[in-house]
Amino acid sequence: MFRNAQSGRRVPSLGLRPVKRFQRSAPASAPVSALAGGAGGGKKPRRPKRTGWRRLIPTWRMTLLGLASTLLLGVGLFVLGIALVKVPDAHAAATAQSNTWLYADGSVITRTGQTNRQNVGLDKVSPAAQHAALAAEDRNFYHEGAVNVQGLVRAALNTAKGEGTQGGSTITQQYVKNTYLNQKQSITRKVKELFIAIKVDATEGKDEILSGYLNTSYYGRGAYGIQAAAQAYFGVDASALNPAQGAYLATLLNAPSAYDVATATPAGKQNAVNRWNYVLDGMVKEGWLSADERAATAFPDVKDPQPNPGLSGQAGYLVDAATQYLTSNQVISETELAKGGYTIKLSIDPNRQQALQDAVQAQLRDTLNPDKRKKDAAAQAGAVSVDPKSGAVVALYGGVDYVKHYVDNATRRDYQAGSTFKAIALAAAFENNAKTQDGRTVTPHTVYDGTSGRKVRGGKGTPYAPPNEGDVNYGQISLQQAIDKSVNSVFAQLAQDTGLPKVRDAAIALGLPANTPGLDPVPSIPLGAATPSVLDMAGVYATLDNGGKQITPWLVQSVDREGEAVPLPAHKTTQAIGEDTAHEVTSMLQGVVSDPGGTGWRAKALGRPAAGKTGTTDDQKSVWFVGYTPELVTSVALFGQDPGTGAQVSLSGVGGIDGAAGGQYPAQIWTSYMKAALKGQPVTDFPEPADGDTADTPDGSDTPNGSDLPTAPSTPPSAPSPTPSTGAGPARTAPGGWPGRPSPGGSSSAGPTSTPTQPPTTQPTPQPTTTPTTRPSPKPTPTSPPTTQPTTDPTTAPQPTGGTGSGGSGN
């Protein structure tokens, strides 16, 4: 209320305040605009404008509006997704089809994909097996919704940080993926999976979803569902699975083939055991297994796999190797491949494949008699042939028969490579300009001390002193002669002179996987303590043959599904070592074949320029020959495996031969196959090494100039070094080359190739060597080779044990 000034009556104020008669005086320092505002009716001063970087920061109103809009948009999209994404027909999507496997020319190798599935209700699955699956894949399954948001965010962050593709899926999501979708890693598939999982979770009970998941999961060995898996691995029904067995089947859900302890690599077996322990520990943590039961639980006995009869002969090995290639390169997941519908063309040449099978049969299998000689049953052969220019695998021999011997001898990584690794040591030394302990640059004619059991100098810790084959003392010997005769003491010192880590780095650069078992920079690395596969070693030697250009061997040419091509990884070419280094090593490896005293002399019967290296490991458990021509690389190995227990055993006595060596059966198989594989092709020669070797001593020789090496013994040593019995004659010298090199075209009359028992007839003994004072161009001549050789044949002589993990024993 206020009073009217004229009438004096009180009237309502209507919420208005009377105007004050006087305004508060502004300070003298106030700006004119402020005074004007006050005089003009009390307007608020303007808020200062946001300038500079402040303009980039949204106000709280803008932030709130943005969050609200995003929320509304997300809800809208979610509702739209629920409405649009339909649950497809599970039966049509989950039915496995056949895969067709083809040779390079389009002819059929085999067809696979017969579905082994038997659905069972959850009441037919033991509680222990149910709990094991939950402990492995989704411990909160019964207490969460269809989607684990926290798990998805964690998986996305880990993937973004480069820690690989992460899971994060609930059992409901995995069930949806198995039943309605595919295994392809894509955003579209993941979005569909989320919406279908939400719908399935809303319409099906938890027990129903768990039952569906256990019945649609792939466990390896062609087994879909837990009932088929229980039979495949343990020969029991799913209802009878105990905690140990259930935990193992749950382990397989993570990586079926990689964790199959009957066929996995040593690393894969250890990973399977680790995962099995993780599952059992999870069961204890969730209260599904008591601590006492857990302590008493032992790893279960797993049955050997029973291959599909359609995979008999070599077909199963080819399919197995191609499957490893596809899954390891993440082209197709194992589960998706098992569903079938694919046409897969391999790089395998059917004619060369047959030639390789025939060579093994004629040179090995036909000479064995397991009924008469029990040891003959232990011989397992593996071989791979690679085109060095493309990296394509053109032939592969995995064993006697896939349905009888399910382990692929071509791809297994559990036997040492032996002295085939010495070629890698040569490449490492030349590529790194290695120097001896007294400062000499290493060349093919550098002289080393070949005394058996000589302590390696320059290393740390306990001195390494490997024996030579037959414990032979060679005295001073050139590096060329050392590779020809596979002298362990020389190569142990060479690796030390080069640097053990550099030898390992060279092996990886040339093509060995970095995770190859035993590939450690230890003193025994040049003698082949590592256990690469036959396929791996073929790839290494292909790099040498290809001028130092490395291409990882591949054997899948194309993949097609329902008319749509599946992308394959590019065949990347990398200059692993210098071209000159590759040619130098190849030139030296020719001496192993062409030198009458070389351990690979039997391969000279090929009649073409050839290079290669033999390998024999501790206790002769494996013997190798890896060799090549300019056109083709082939790796052959023989493994000693007890047919009953699968344990590694010595090959000595196989075929009635006392002792075993890479120059015997492996070299004979190699020669027989290469003759057939290269029949009709022009004979070509290897490139000559580059010119320009420079003497490291004043007189132009590489004679030791320090006290590092002793003088040659006064009495000539006895060293095994066979000479072919027919037509070999003295070592030839290539134009511009040096002893131990074949002339272009080689010789076709050297040495036997049909029987491993035939020894040479002339065997001279080495004498103290001398070094030349002048060197021919373009290639210096090494120390003169021995004029006589011993009377023992290294292909039959017993071999010393080099100690645990010492690698090659010489040949």
Side-chain angles (χ1 to χ4, degrees), residues 62-74:
M62 295 171 63
T63 302
L64 184 60
L65 180 61
L67 291 175
S69 300
T70 301
L71 180 61
L72 290 174
L73 180 61

Side-chain angles (χ1 to χ4, degrees), residues 215-227:
N215 281 310
T216 57
S217 292
Y218 183 62
Y219 290 84
R221 299 190 181 182
Y224 280 92
I226 195 166
Q227 172 63 17

Side-chain angles (χ1 to χ4, degrees), residues 474 476 711-717 765-770 783-786:
Y474 290 91
Q476 295 181 35
T711 58
S714 57
T715 303
T765 303
Q767 293 181 348
T769 59
T770 59
T783 304
S784 301

Side-chain angles (χ1 to χ4, degrees), residues 423-507:
I424 297 174
L426 284 178
F430 295 152
E431 186 71 5
N432 291 282
N433 296 314
K435 294 184 180 297
T436 62
Q437 295 296 301
D438 58 358
R440 293 170 292 125
T441 298
V442 173
T443 68
H445 49 286
T446 298
V447 176
Y448 273 92
D449 182 1
T451 302
S452 181
R454 173 187 178 273
K455 293 180 180 179
V456 173
R457 302 184 184 182
K460 298 179 180 179
T462 303
Y464 183 55
N468 294 329
E469 166 68 16
D471 207 23
V472 174
N473 293 318
Y474 290 91
Q476 295 181 35
I477 188 172
S478 72
L479 190 56
Q480 176 64 59
Q481 292 171 316
I483 191 67
D484 291 351
K485 303 177 188 304
S486 201
V487 182
N488 287 341
S489 57
V490 170
F491 278 86
Q493 185 63 58
L494 176 67
Q496 192 65 59
D497 294 345
T498 304
L500 302 179
K502 291 180 180 178
V503 176
R504 180 183 187 274
D505 292 344

